[in-house]
Each structure stands twice: as structure tokens, then as C-alpha cells.
Amino acid sequence: MDFRFTDEQQELIDAAKSIFDGEHTVERMRAQLDGNEVDALWPQFAELGLLGIIAPEDAGGLGQDFSLMAAIAEAAGYAGLVEPFVEVAGLSVPLLAEMGETEKLAQVIAGEIRVAPLSPNLFANQDADKNDFFIETNPEGSRLVARDDVTLTGLKSIDPLRRIFKVSHQAQGNALSDWYGSVLSAAQICGLSRRIVDMSVDYAKDREQFGQQIGSFQAIKHHLANVHTQIEFTRPTVYFAALSGGRAVHEAKIAACDTGSLAAEVGIQVHGGMGYTYEVNLHMFMKRIWALSGEWGDRNDHMNILTPLVLADDAAIGPGASFLA
């Protein structure tokens, strides 16, 4: 299967990455950790059309396929983007399109309102107090719930940059939200893992021990190479899951959780004892990996679903079935 993007699609990915990396800097993240006000990025997302990437063209969107959204989610992960852009652009927008809510969809794309999904696979909603509506997902058909009709309970996240809330309404979930949510969380973990590798490489170039850079030591090189290799094996799994759904979704989330865990562990090891500290920027990306690994099903949830699919008597297994949906 060809996972390459067209030139036009790559330009969209590069444009999104440029905004994420250029505007959402480590300094901005630090300011948010300290409780300081920062410039809002949501108007820029709307102005550049990023909120409507996978929205139908007749609704004012760009009409791109979901694999492109996965690539942009990976870029958002690399930047450690705090705003719930991925959830809105990658989940709320297709759900609204599926529901036929064209007016609300246009308003979301224009940045006039915010709409967030509710699902049993999403323990809490980020920035829920900034939403105008929620989408209560159900197998038979989702429905909109106004902000005034729900009760929000603030919670503490393992990621201090995320403001999360428990929303009173209980949804039942549906196939689209479970598929897209799992893939987008996996894609963000891939981006976060790549960021940790890059940060660790930079640190290994600067840190000296025994009169030489620690990056020259074989043990450091091998650890970082192992993470890089695992990321490169995980990314196509995520893109395939974005294109095909089915069994591949569970494989992608499991692979991403394993990759993120390894990246965080190696990042800490390369940074030495400093890797655990608040002063080192590594912790902001590491904690985001841990938070996203538990959203839209954690590793155990997806293993429990995948196991009977793989072990069934009529299951297609072996090298030839590695990328079967």
C-alpha cells in the first residue's frame, strides 16, 4: 500500500506543522504551566482552514481524507500542542458531517463555535468549559447537547498542561468516533515520541562526560536508534489504520502505546537524573504521551479486542495478513 501524500497534501501538512512549531513553542508551554495568559491560536486555525481539513467541500472544508488528518495530528503531537485542535478538527467535524449538522459544521470550521465529542472511551474532555456544544455519540446516531444542559466537573490530569473535565452526559460511543479517536491519539503519540528523540539527540550532543559528548557513546546511540526504528515501524501502522479501520486500529494504538513508553523511558535515561525534573522540558512531552495512551482505549483495552480477532479459528495470520483490515 502506498502511504505517500500528494504534493498538495504535503504542503498542507507542512503548513500546519509550521504553525504548530512556530506558534506553540516551549516558551509558550512554560508560560501556560506557570498560569500565564498566552495568545489564542484558535483564530489562526480557522483562518488557515485547518479546522475544516477533512470536512466536505460543500460545507466549506478541504475534503481531504482521514490519513491526512492523522499526519497533521502527528505534527500537533510533535509540537506538544495544548489546544484540543485534533479532537475538534479530526473528530467533531466528521461527526457533525455524519449527523448532517451543516450549519453547526460551518460554524466550527469558521472558528465561531466549539463542539467536542462525548464517548465512553474518552474519560474526560479537554477545555470543556470553552465548548458551545457536545456530541453525544451513539451507535444508532449521535446528537448534539448544549453546554447549558450538562454539568462539568474539573479533574486533574497527569499532564499539567491539559485542563480536563468530566461531563455529566454519558454516551454509548459509535464506530466512527472509536476509529478516529484511537487513530488520532496514536498519531499524536508518534509525534511526541519523535520530539523526545530529537530533544534527547540535542542533549546528547551538548552533554559531555569523560571529556567527550555522551552522544558518541555506543550505548546512547543504540538506545536512540531503537526508539527511532520503532517509531518508523509504528507510523505506517497508524496511517494504515486511518485508511482501513477495523483490526488495524487496535494494532496501531497498541504499537503507539509501546513506542511512546519506550521513547519516554529512553528520553529519561539519556537525560540522566535530570530527565525526571520539572526544569527539563522533556517532562511536558512525556506526560502527554502517558495521558494520550489512556484515551480512546488504553493498551489493555485494545489487546482485549484484538486477541480474539487474531486467535479465532478462521483468522488470517502470518506475513501475508499483516496489513489486513
Side-chain angles (χ1 to χ4, degrees), residues 64-293:
Q64 297 293 325
D65 61 51
F66 183 55
S67 62
L68 180 68
M69 187 66 228
I72 291 176
E74 183 181 348
Y78 185 89
L81 187 67
V82 176
E83 283 78 4
F85 159 78
V86 173
E87 289 77 6
V88 174
L91 273 167
S92 297
V93 163
L95 284 170
L96 287 170
E98 182 184 59
M99 296 163 62
E101 292 282 353
T102 55
E103 181 180 349
K104 294 291 189 298
L105 177 58
Q107 290 177 304
V108 169
I109 294 172
E112 297 171 359
I113 63 172
R114 287 200 201 183
V115 180
L118 298 177
S119 170
N121 292 317
L122 188 62
F123 173 72
N125 281 82
Q126 186 180 347
D127 290 348
D129 57 335
K130 297 181 180 179
N131 293 326
D132 299 281
F133 294 91
F134 295 91
I135 301 174
E136 190 179 81
T137 60
N138 287 288
E140 296 80 16
S142 305
R143 70 185 188 94
L144 281 175
V145 180
R147 163 68 180 84
D148 294 338
D149 295 331
V150 302
T151 301
L152 304 181
T153 304
L155 303 173
K156 283 192 175 182
S157 172
I158 191 172
D159 178 0
L161 281 164
R162 305 174 85 211
R163 299 169 57 253
I164 61 173
F165 298 81
K166 188 71 174 178
V167 184
S168 59
H169 273 242
Q170 295 296 321
Q172 298 178 30
N174 68 13
L176 180 66
S177 63
D178 293 346
W179 170 13
Y180 281 20
S182 298
V183 169
L184 292 175
S185 60
Q188 290 178 83
I189 292 172
C190 286
L192 288 158
S193 299
R194 286 199 301 114
R195 182 64 175 269
I196 286 178
V197 169
D198 289 350
M199 293 170 68
S200 300
V201 168
D202 290 342
Y203 179 80
K205 290 178 180 177
D206 293 336
R207 179 80 166 95
E208 291 189 359
Q209 198 171 39
F210 308 115
Q212 56 185 313
Q213 297 171 334
I214 65 170
S216 65
F217 302 151
Q218 288 289 343
I220 299 293
K221 291 179 180 179
H222 288 169
H223 276 310
L224 292 172
N226 287 340
V227 182
H228 173 77
T229 301
Q230 188 153 331
I231 293 170
E232 291 306 304
F233 274 106
T234 301
R235 292 177 70 235
T237 304
V238 173
Y239 289 137
F240 180 71
L243 290 169
S244 64
R247 192 176 89 182
V249 173
H250 311 298
E251 295 169 344
K253 187 60 186 287
I254 293 167
C257 289
D258 289 345
T259 298
S261 179
L262 179 64
E265 178 182 334
V266 169
I268 291 174
Q269 290 177 330
V270 171
H271 282 78
M274 293 179 59
Y276 281 103
T277 64
Y278 180 87
E279 287 72 21
V280 175
N281 293 328
L282 179 74
H283 79 95
M284 295 187 288
F285 300 91
M286 180 174 63
K287 290 173 181 175
R288 183 69 54 79
I289 287 177
W290 294 341
L292 289 172
S293 293

Side-chain angles (χ1 to χ4, degrees), residues 5-38:
F5 294 104
T6 66
D7 291 341
E8 179 185 357
Q9 289 175 323
Q10 191 60 53
E11 288 177 3
L12 288 172
I13 297 169
D14 292 342
K17 182 172 176 55
S18 177
I19 290 295
F20 299 153
D21 293 345
E23 298 294 335
H24 189 67
T25 61
V26 168
E27 291 74 22
R28 184 176 190 266
M29 297 171 75
R30 282 285 179 183
Q32 289 174 289
L33 275 179
D34 294 337
N36 299 323
E37 290 292 329
V38 295

